[in-house]
Amino acid sequence: MQVRLTSICECTLPLPEFALKDFIFSSSYHSLYQKSKGNVYKNKRVLMEFIHKAKAEKNRTKVIADQMEARRIKNKVCIILSSLCSSSEFLSGYP
């Protein structure tokens, strides 16, 4: 029975193509290449799964950061409006 060994090239070949197509982040290209050379990824499917998980995690953290920033802005506006309403300048405009 023949056992097919995964060559190093099988996992490293698609990485430059992915980098050119902006499928992977340029900052993570080097670490992915080193891990694939070190046989961390058994085959191309495992490498693709890792890339998809990393992209999903990055998008998730970006969404959460955007939500937090929107909440901060909303709270600042509420604080400014409440201080404006409680001041005597705002009330003095009414008869």
Side-chain angles (χ1 to χ4, degrees), residues 46-95:
V46 175
L47 174 65
M48 294 296 294
E49 287 176 0
F50 180 81
I51 291 171
H52 287 298
K53 285 180 185 178
K55 286 177 80 171
E57 179 66 27
K58 186 173 182 178
N59 288 339
R60 193 176 313 118
T61 55
K62 183 179 178 185
V63 167
I64 291 172
D66 291 343
Q67 288 175 351
M68 287 174 30
E69 183 64 27
R71 189 178 186 117
R72 282 189 202 108
I73 291 171
K74 182 181 131 191
N75 288 340
K76 284 182 184 179
V77 169
C78 287
I79 289 171
I80 291 170
L81 286 177
S82 66
S83 66
L84 183 65
C85 288
S86 64
S87 69
S88 61
E89 296 172 2
F90 184 74
L91 296 175
S92 63
Y94 291 106

Side-chain angles (χ1 to χ4, degrees), residues 12 15 29-41:
T12 58
L15 286 176
Y29 171 79
H30 182 70
S31 64
L32 289 173
Y33 184 80
Q34 292 295 328
K35 287 181 180 180
S36 63
K37 292 279 282 191
N39 288 331
V40 173
Y41 306 117

